[in-house]
Amino acid sequence: AVVVSAYNEENQIGMVIETMPAFVDKIIIVNDCSKDNTEEIVKKFILKEAEYHSEGLTSTIFEKYDELISLGNNHISRFALINHSKNKGKGAGIVSGYKYARLHGYDCIASMDGDGQMDPNELYSLCIPIIKEKIDYVKGNRLIHNSAFEIIPKVRFIGNSILSLLTKIASGYWEVTDPQTGYNVISKEALLSIDIDKIYKNYGYPNDVLVKLNIAMCSIREVEIKPIYNIGEKSKMKIYKVIPKLLLLLFLSYFKRLYKKYFFRSLHPLFFIYHLSFICFIIWILHTLNMINDIFLLKGSLGFKQIVFFIFLFITGFQSLVFAMWMDKHNNKHLIK
C-alpha cells in the first residue's frame, strides 16, 4: 500500500496517481482538508476505475466521515480516499494512512507526498529490502545522489545536512543522512511495534518515526533516490515556524530515547556517561559566567584554581560526551542493514 499525503495538490495529484507502479495494491490518498479540487480529482480516478471494471457508477459509494474513509468499493477498488475534516498537518496525514493500512493488513506500506517530488519508479527499490530481506524500515536518501547539490536548493541542502547531524544524535541511527525526506517504506511488523497515534503531526514526523523505530529496535536501510524540484510543486512549509519546533522535537526525542532505551529497558553505562557530560557542561557554563563576572564586573583577576577547574570541567564533559556518543553508535550499529 502507498500512503499519499496531499494538501492543495490539484495540479500534481493526478500525475502521482497515474505514474503509480502496477504492483501497488492500494493507493491511500489522505486529503488533509484541501481548499482546492484535490478531493474531486481523486474521486474522478475512483469513478473511472469503477467504470473500467464494469461496476457502474451506482455501486461506487462515497462515504463521508469526519476523519475516516471515502473510497470506492473497499474490496475491489485500488483507491482509498481519506478526508480530514480539518487541516492537521503532514504527519497526521501519514498517520491516517498508516491506520488504514494497518487495519487492512498490508505487509509493506510506503509513504509519498502528493506534490510529485517523489518518483514512483523508485518505489520498487525501496520495497525490495523489506520484502526480500525483512528490513523493518527503508528510507529514501536524496543527499547521496550525484545531482543533489545541483538540484536541491542550497538553503534546503544545508538545512537538511544540519538536521541530519542532529537527527543522528536524537534517533541513534548514526548512518542516516537524509532524515527529512517523506519517501519511506515500513513493514507491517515495524508499524505494529510503534505507537502511531503519538507520531508528530507536522513536518518533523520522519524524525519522530526514526526515534520510535530505534526504541523498538527496528532495522533500517537508506536507498538512493533522485531529488526532484521545480515540477510545479508549491512548498507548504514555513521554515521560520517549522525549524524551532523541529529542534525542540529532536531535543525532547533524544532524552525520550535515552531514558526509554538505556534506563528503563536496561540500565546501560552510556546513560551515566551521557549525564556526566551534561552535569560537567552545566557546571562549566555556570563557572564561566562566574569568571566573566569576576573579570568585567568586579574588576578582579582569575585565580589558578579557577582556570584549572574551568579546563577540567570542559575536558571531562567533552570526553564523556564523545565517549557516550561512540558507545551509542556502536550499540545501534546492528540496526543499520
Side-chain angles (χ1 to χ4, degrees):
V2 177
V3 179
V4 180
S5 177
Y7 175 65
N8 292 343
E9 300 293 358
E10 62 179 5
N11 296 322
Q12 306 293 99
I13 192 66
M15 177 187 67
V16 173
I17 293 174
E18 289 174 340
T19 55
M20 198 67 69
F23 64 81
V24 174
D25 298 306
K26 182 72 74 171
I27 305 172
I28 308 165
I29 297 97
V30 183
N31 173 33
D32 196 23
C33 198
S34 296
K35 298 176 182 179
D36 62 2
N37 294 318
T38 298
E39 180 181 352
E40 287 70 24
I41 291 172
V42 176
K43 283 185 176 181
K44 286 181 181 179
F45 278 93
I46 298 175
L47 292 172
K48 183 178 179 181
E49 183 200 38
E51 288 180 310
Y52 178 79
H53 290 292
S54 301
E55 296 176 43
L57 295 179
T58 56
S59 65
T60 301
I61 303 171
F62 294 104
E63 298 180 69
K64 185 77 172 181
Y65 293 98
D66 181 37
E67 293 184 17
L68 256 175
I69 300 141
S70 300
L71 66 162
N73 186 312
N74 188 39
H75 300 291
I76 299 174
S77 179
R78 193 186 181 210
F79 298 95
L81 172 61
I82 302 176
N83 286 305
H84 285 178
S85 59
K86 61 180 180 180
N87 183 260
K88 296 187 175 183
K90 178 79 71 174
I94 297 298
V95 168
S96 294
Y98 278 170
K99 286 182 177 179
Y100 179 94
R102 185 178 63 180
L103 179 66
H104 291 85
Y106 288 98
D107 298 304
C108 184
I109 305 97
S111 62
M112 297 175 61
D113 293 342
D115 59 5
Q117 284 191 286
M118 299 164 185
D119 185 0
N121 291 322
E122 295 181 313
L123 189 59
Y124 182 84
S125 63
L126 292 167
C127 291
I128 283 299
I130 286 180
I131 296 170
K132 290 191 174 183
E133 301 178 55
K134 304 302 179 183
I135 306 295
D136 293 311
Y137 191 66
V138 179
K139 285 187 61 60
N141 188 328
R142 302 161 297 176
L143 300 184
I144 60 176
H145 194 274
N146 56 18
S147 65
F149 193 72
E150 288 75 26
I151 295 178
I152 300 176
K154 298 301 181 287
V155 173
R156 287 183 177 270
F157 187 91
I158 296 171
N160 279 352
S161 300
I162 295 172
L163 289 173
S164 173
L165 174 61
L166 297 176
T167 303
K168 289 173 187 283
I169 299 171
S171 71
Y173 291 119
W174 292 83
E175 281 75 14
V176 168
T177 56
D178 187 11
Q180 301 312 118
T181 179
Y183 203 178
N184 308 305
V185 184
I186 189 170
S187 69
K188 177 172 66 176
E189 292 75 19
L191 195 61
L192 292 171
S193 71
I194 63 175
D195 187 351
I196 61 176
D197 287 309
K198 293 184 179 180
I199 290 176
Y200 188 68
K201 298 300 187 291
N202 219 310
Y203 285 97
Y205 78 90
N207 312 76
D208 190 36
V209 168
L210 282 174
V211 174
K212 288 176 168 52
L213 289 170
N214 187 272
I215 294 173
M217 302 295 286
C218 292
S219 59
I220 75 166
R221 176 179 295 175
E222 284 194 304
V223 173
E224 181 181 311
I225 59 174
K226 64 181 178 183
I228 301 174
Y229 284 86
N230 301 319
I231 56 169
E233 78 282 357
K234 293 182 179 179
S235 177
K236 317 296 189 307
M237 183 175 65
K238 294 179 174 60
I239 295 178
Y240 65 92
K241 288 185 177 181
V242 171
I243 294 300
K245 293 179 180 178
L246 184 51
L247 293 176
L248 178 61
L249 171 68
L250 291 173
F251 178 79
L252 296 176
S253 297
Y254 165 74
F255 282 99
K256 183 187 297 183
R257 181 179 69 87
L258 197 62
Y259 274 81
K260 284 189 175 182
K261 191 169 182 178
Y262 297 123
F263 184 74
F264 294 111
R265 180 182 294 167
S266 62
L267 203 55
H268 197 286
L270 73 81
F271 177 85
F272 298 103
I273 299 174
Y274 260 131
H275 281 76
L276 173 61
S277 69
F278 301 154
I279 293 170
C280 285
F281 277 125
I282 290 172
I283 298 175
W284 178 76
I285 292 171
L286 295 175
H287 183 62
T288 301
L289 293 175
N290 185 60
M291 290 171 63
I292 293 173
N293 181 67
D294 288 345
I295 296 173
F296 294 101
L297 297 181
L298 300 180
K299 305 298 183 181
S301 59
L302 297 178
F304 178 74
K305 290 182 179 180
Q306 282 182 298
I307 297 173
V308 171
F309 191 50
F310 172 85
I311 297 172
F312 171 78
L313 286 172
F314 181 80
I315 292 177
T316 304
F318 182 77
Q319 286 184 330
S320 299
L321 180 63
V322 172
F323 185 54
M325 292 170 69
W326 177 84
M327 291 181 68
D328 193 17
K329 181 178 180 179
H330 181 75
N331 193 60
N332 289 285
K333 192 174 182 179
H334 68 287
L335 298 178
I336 307 295
K337 302 294 185 179

